[in-house]
Amino acid sequence: MTDGAQPVAPSLPWRLSSSVVMGVTGALCRTFLHGANRTEVHGLDGFLRVLDERQDIEGRERGLITVSNHTSVLDDPIIWGVLPLRYLFRPDHLRWGLGSYDICFKNKPLATFFSLGQVLPTHRQAHSPHGGLFQPTMTQAIRLLSHRPSHSSASSSFSQDHLDHSTSTPGIPDPFSTPHLTYTTNNVDTFPAPSAYLSRRHSWIHIFPEGKVHQRTDKTMRYFKWGVARLILEAEPLPQIVPMWIEGLNEVMHEAREAPRWVPRVGKDIKVVFGEEVDAEKVFGDLRRKWRGLVEKEGDATSDEGWSLGELQTERLRYGDEAVKLRIECTMRVRGELLKVRRQAGLPDEDPKEGLVETWRAEGGSREGQMADGSWVKDT
């Protein structure tokens, strides 16, 4: 399918609603950061230059990935309150995030709000059989970062007759667009497919590679999950990458807080540090070349029409030893870039073992709450 056959943008009512949701939310977050707390921001000018260079949507040549540690359930959207107001009402220039399906999308009002706020419905394996590294939302994320919009070959053959459009399910198709511009995360719901629009090419995605809120006194990070590796290895072309470091929001919403638990605490010291843009080709180029070689060897290379972008059809590409090793190495390199920003924030180097999944088995068997090592974890 050619670019000319693709819609440029979602419907006007959807765009206006998204602008209101993102703009008002961002303004409230900015007020909270600078009015109710003591917030210091480092490296913002450099990050704004990155955003300013991306203002011309048609002129963008690469997607953007920001990665950060995950300190509280309010990290996103609160951290984006550091952006000046002139950025906050322009959804095409703001981040897409991944939100837990069973929290953010458990009913239609919540699903509508978070979809308009550019959050993708993401199933967690501990809570859904539809979760994991290869769920449809990951396909959408990869395509949002890439050079062209795409329709999923899987969804194109999926019958819309099987979708449940009742009020009891969280799916929320844009009523002003057509069914082929939607996708399903579980063969029951239906959501607008953001990657189907030309204005969404080379988008910005923020991801918390830890996959969970992690609050520990020495501010070490958990091991990183592999979703970020898929974004870096599979998006076309290689996205820009900017690491970030967050401190203080763990005090705003600590997992040990007492009632009323839903109320954010104020008067806290908050710090957001933006690192320099990573030389992505230098750091990740060799891994992407190895990944492309593996894909070509499997005969599953992305076609010129983009039909298979973000879809891995063979077991070897999903679970094979070579694919797993590439994701592990890519994830460790992402961690290395984020650790540089952690040092900028004045923190000492971590023990290298902190990046290994084996190390975190010391947390004990509980999925949430206070772990055996004294840290607090929230599955988000």
Side-chain angles (χ1 to χ4, degrees), residues 235-252:
E236 290 295 343
L238 173 60
Q240 298 173 271
I241 301 168
V242 176
M244 302 169 53
W245 184 257
I246 305 167
E247 290 183 22
L249 285 173
N250 55 306
E251 298 299 329
V252 172

Side-chain angles (χ1 to χ4, degrees), residues 123-125 127-132 134-136 185-188:
H123 293 274
R124 300 183 288 173
Q125 279 188 307
H127 301 268
S128 168
H130 305 287
F134 309 106
Q135 60 184 292
T185 71
N186 58 11
N187 290 346
V188 175

Side-chain angles (χ1 to χ4, degrees), residues 1-274:
M1 184 175 290
T2 64
D3 282 358
Q6 297 288 344
V8 173
S11 65
L12 179 60
W14 185 273
R15 299 199 308 274
L16 291 175
S17 299
S18 183
S19 295
V20 171
V21 167
M22 299 201 73
V24 172
T25 300
L28 290 173
C29 291
R30 184 170 178 80
T31 301
F32 180 79
L33 284 176
H34 297 288
N37 297 279
R38 297 174 294 274
T39 301
E40 56 179 283
V41 185
H42 301 272
L44 180 60
D45 288 344
F47 184 64
L48 293 182
R49 282 195 294 273
V50 172
L51 295 186
D52 289 342
E53 290 169 357
R54 296 170 46 81
Q55 293 299 303
D56 178 8
I57 296 174
E58 294 184 2
R60 290 178 189 165
E61 297 181 351
R62 300 163 67 192
L64 171 64
I65 299 173
T66 49
V67 294
S68 73
N69 56 320
H70 202 359
T71 66
S72 83
V73 294
L74 284 183
D75 288 349
D76 191 319
I78 289 292
I79 55 174
W80 306 121
V82 304
L83 297 177
L85 282 173
R86 67 181 183 275
Y87 293 86
L88 299 179
F89 287 85
R90 305 176 66 189
D92 285 340
H93 304 284
L94 294 174
R95 70 93 188 94
W96 286 84
L98 284 75
S100 299
Y101 191 97
D102 56 293
I103 297 175
C104 302
F105 296 85
K106 59 185 177 182
N107 56 49
K108 276 195 180 345
L110 280 175
T112 300
F113 175 80
F114 283 103
S115 293
L116 291 171
Q118 296 190 170
V119 177
L120 300 172
T122 310
H123 293 274
R124 300 183 288 173
Q125 279 188 307
H127 301 268
S128 168
H130 305 287
L133 192 59
F134 309 106
Q135 60 184 292
T137 289
M138 287 302 300
T139 301
Q140 287 295 312
I142 291 166
R143 292 175 175 178
L144 278 169
L145 289 166
S146 298
H147 69 287
R148 71 178 69 207
S150 305
H151 293 299
S152 165
S153 57
S155 62
S156 65
S157 62
F158 179 76
S159 173
Q160 294 280 327
D161 296 337
H162 291 88
L163 298 177
D164 184 349
H165 298 289
S166 70
T167 57
S168 62
T169 59
I172 46 145
D174 178 354
F176 299 96
S177 62
T178 56
H180 79 283
L181 299 177
T182 64
Y183 75 108
T184 178
T185 71
N186 58 11
N187 290 346
V188 175
D189 60 19
T190 177
F191 291 94
S195 67
Y197 300 97
L198 287 170
S199 63
R200 301 283 180 64
R201 71 174 110 196
H202 298 141
S203 287
W204 164 18
I205 288 183
H206 182 77
I207 189 168
F208 298 102
E210 293 170 280
K212 293 183 178 183
V213 168
H214 184 238
Q215 300 174 344
R216 190 161 140 171
T217 55
D218 62 3
K219 300 178 182 177
T220 55
M221 294 180 288
R222 289 171 51 85
Y223 68 93
F224 284 9
K225 297 185 178 181
W226 298 347
V228 67
R230 283 205 67 194
L231 299 182
I232 292 172
L233 293 174
E234 297 180 44
E236 290 295 343
L238 173 60
Q240 298 173 271
I241 301 168
V242 176
M244 302 169 53
W245 184 257
I246 305 167
E247 290 183 22
L249 285 173
N250 55 306
E251 298 299 329
V252 172
M253 291 293 274
H254 198 282
E255 288 305 308
R257 65 191 181 278
E258 298 179 352
R261 285 182 58 83
W262 59 274
V263 177
R265 278 41 174 178
V266 299
K268 305 300 181 181
D269 294 311
I270 298 170
K271 180 189 291 186
V272 180
V273 182
F274 291 90

